[in-house]
Amino acid sequence: MKDFIPKIKKSDPSEKTRLLSARAYLMEGSYDKAIMECRAALHINSQCISARLLLAKIYSTYGKYDETIEECRAALIINNRLINAYLRLSYVYAEQGRYFEAITECKKAVQISPGNATAYFMLGELYIGQELYSEAIDALQIALKLNPKLTKARYKLSYAYLKQNRQSEALAEVEASLKLNSNSNRSHVILGDIYMKRREYTAALGEYQMALGVCPQFAEVHHKVGEVYFKLNQYTKATEYLKEALLINPKLFESHHLLGASYLKLGKPKKAVSHYRMALKINPLSEMHAGLGDIYALQGNHSKAASE
């Protein structure tokens, strides 16, 4: 994809018309044409903030993050109080793994617009990504004060509480989230996680199954169902769900690990070894070597056991 700056004639459409055309192209997925129209608008008026922000949106959709940053910065030179520019910068930096910069930009948005629930929600998400759960809880609580119907903030808050083992608070938030949206698959997952911590495996299974009913391609939830069945000593059922998780995402270390353990319980050491080996390929620093050593020892293969 190459940017193209068209030559503008006096008879050509105005800046406003160019922007309307760009938005229309964007809605139909014609990104190259949308970029051309934005560039045409900027050729008419280099100070056109709307064109800069629209370009930033298109570039971030493409995953062209350096260009996104450039357009956001150009817009902020014109007006340094653009909330959307700071939030998009925050998103892009997070996608690049530059979390300190992401948090910094999000905080700027919060400072400029302290009544913006979305900004506080994004800040909470960023804190969760850095495992700063106390800070995440503070930000998400503010987001919910500003917008009590922000379902995604409720299940994120529940998740943060759960990470701090504050189960009663986590339960209250996730139940409130499900009242707002009973089809929130992530809320069902978190509620299942709470039940798992309480060793209420049947209740956990019900929540995970409800999540799968909403989103059948959720690999991590297939894994969680497999984990429940493993806890219930139903190893054949566990293998069914773990294999499904790996069909969706073959690189799930935990699923290979648990599938290996399930096959071992079923008396199928060769299949167990295969999945332990796959787990080691994904995470060479894991403790799978010890498990493999135990399997080889049980099989009487002491030389291989020693090598592990």
Side-chain angles (χ1 to χ4, degrees):
M1 180 183 69
K2 293 181 179 178
D3 287 356
F4 172 71
I5 302 176
K7 292 180 180 179
I8 307 296
K9 299 176 183 178
K10 289 184 178 179
S11 59
D12 281 345
S14 66
E15 169 194 339
K16 183 179 179 180
T17 305
R18 290 287 189 182
L19 285 172
L20 289 171
S21 179
R23 291 190 180 97
Y25 281 132
L26 183 59
M27 287 180 67
E28 68 181 33
S30 300
Y31 297 123
D32 291 329
K33 290 180 180 179
I35 287 171
M36 285 175 58
E37 293 298 326
C38 286
R39 290 296 175 200
L42 285 168
H43 192 80
I44 297 168
N45 176 12
S46 62
Q47 300 292 298
C48 181
I49 291 173
S50 295
R52 294 287 183 194
L53 294 179
L54 195 54
L55 279 171
K57 181 178 180 179
I58 297 167
Y59 285 136
S60 65
T61 302
Y62 264 109
K64 300 188 74 170
Y65 296 138
D66 289 341
E67 290 86 344
T68 305
I69 292 168
E70 182 181 343
E71 294 301 334
C72 286
R73 292 294 179 207
L76 288 167
I77 288 171
I78 302 166
N79 181 351
N80 66 358
R81 297 183 64 81
L82 296 170
I83 306 301
N84 289 341
Y86 287 118
L87 292 180
R88 192 166 298 279
L89 281 172
S90 179
Y91 166 79
V92 168
Y93 285 137
E95 287 293 300
Q96 292 180 322
R98 298 160 64 179
Y99 289 103
F100 177 80
E101 290 161 287
I103 289 170
T104 299
E105 297 302 329
C106 201
K107 282 183 174 179
K108 290 177 184 176
V110 165
Q111 288 168 359
I112 293 167
S113 180
N116 191 314
T118 299
Y120 277 105
F121 169 72
M122 285 184 65
L123 187 58
E125 274 199 308
L126 290 168
Y127 282 136
I128 286 174
Q130 291 300 287
E131 299 182 359
L132 298 169
Y133 299 118
S134 294
E135 291 85 345
I137 288 168
D138 290 342
L140 292 167
Q141 284 176 335
I142 295 171
L144 286 166
K145 282 182 182 178
L146 294 169
N147 183 1
K149 294 184 179 181
L150 197 58
T151 306
K152 55 187 178 180
R154 290 218 177 267
Y155 70 68
K156 286 288 184 180
L157 180 56
S158 177
Y159 176 84
Y161 279 136
L162 192 57
K163 283 295 182 179
Q164 291 193 329
N165 205 31
R166 296 163 65 177
Q167 292 183 28
S168 59
E169 290 159 294
L171 183 60
E173 290 300 334
V174 78
E175 286 177 343
S177 172
L178 286 167
K179 282 181 181 178
L180 291 169
N181 179 9
S182 61
N183 290 323
S184 171
N185 62 324
R186 293 189 181 276
S187 296
H188 284 296
V189 171
I190 293 170
L191 187 52
D193 291 346
I194 293 169
Y195 287 135
M196 282 292 281
K197 279 186 173 287
R198 295 179 172 185
R199 299 184 181 181
E200 298 176 23
Y201 300 131
T202 303
L205 181 61
E207 294 301 325
Y208 293 148
Q209 294 283 23
M210 289 184 75
L212 285 177
V214 178
C215 184
Q217 295 300 305
F218 205 157
E220 289 80 0
V221 183
H222 282 284
H223 171 86
K224 288 174 183 289
V225 173
E227 187 178 356
V228 173
Y229 280 123
F230 187 89
K231 296 281 189 184
L232 293 171
N233 301 325
Q234 297 184 37
Y235 305 117
T236 300
K237 290 287 289 183
T239 61
E240 292 173 9
Y241 281 91
L242 293 167
K243 286 190 287 186
E244 187 65 30
L246 290 168
L247 280 174
I248 299 166
N249 183 358
K251 293 185 178 181
L252 275 179
F253 166 82
E254 296 85 355
S255 293
H256 281 294
H257 181 188
L258 194 56
L259 190 52
S262 299
Y263 279 130
L264 198 57
K265 291 285 188 180
L266 291 167
K268 298 179 179 180
K270 286 186 178 179
K271 286 188 174 182
V273 168
S274 172
H275 285 283
Y276 281 150
R277 289 255 175 240
M278 288 298 296
L280 277 171
K281 282 184 180 179
I282 297 165
N283 183 4
L285 299 177
S286 71
E287 297 178 357
M288 290 294 93
H289 290 288
L292 283 169
D294 291 341
I295 295 172
Y296 289 135
L298 286 170
Q299 291 177 318
N301 194 333
H302 298 295
S303 61
K304 281 191 173 182
S307 68
E308 294 296 337

